[in-house]
Amino acid sequence: MSTWANLGLQDSASPLMEQLIFFHDHALLILVMITVLVGYLMFMLFFNSYINRFLLHGQLIEMIWTILPAIILLFIALPSLRLLYLLDEINEPSVTLKSIGHQWYWSYEYSAFNNIEFDSYMIPTNELATDGFRLLDVDNRVVLPMNSQIRILVTAADVIHSWTIPALGVKVDGTPGRLNQTNFFINRPGLFYGQCSEICGANHSFMPIVIESVPVNYFIKWISNNMNS
Ligand code: CUA
């Protein structure tokens, strides 16, 4: 999760988020190089008193500053497309989770496991445990196995919500009447926090998501306990 003064991206917990961070750094590097170059040129113009009285046109420089930015943009566009298709790839998921957005909480269904279903509400500040995270902890967490391909199906019951987990690189809109799909692979155990990221109403800020990533045998234990009850 994000902590104080963490202005960058969170540490990744999935291979796709790792790729997203690499792409972000790559795009930022190009951005900084352009900003420094243009900034330098603009700054130096203030101290330049030379004037070319016969300047009407410059075919060569026009060619250069048209084609060069186009080539630079290719260096961003091609890795971006690669990532886009990588994010869309579904690779034989072993667990499917359905999450449904409501005003203002999430509900979850493990359709393949005897249809386990539960609601997940934020814990109000006055009921929070001393080690709880304010506006971020929920009463019922989503338990998922680590080192497994996980598919999530996202929809909503009332207005548009968005199921977003920064550490996993997941952000899918839940839209009434539609079923959106994405997948991810959690490569370590832990708690991963997220929040709804579509402006969905008065309590939009208060429908967090908590994923509890556990080893596969613990997940099997959890799921069989819940199937029997
Ligand atoms: Cu649900 Cu914002």
Side-chain angles (χ1 to χ4, degrees), residues 102 104 106 160-162 196-201 203-205 207:
H102 304 262
W104 289 275
W106 292 97
I160 304 176
H161 299 274
S162 181
C196 175
S197 56
E198 281 288 354
I199 310 298
C200 57
N203 292 322
H204 154 68
S205 309
M207 48 183 299

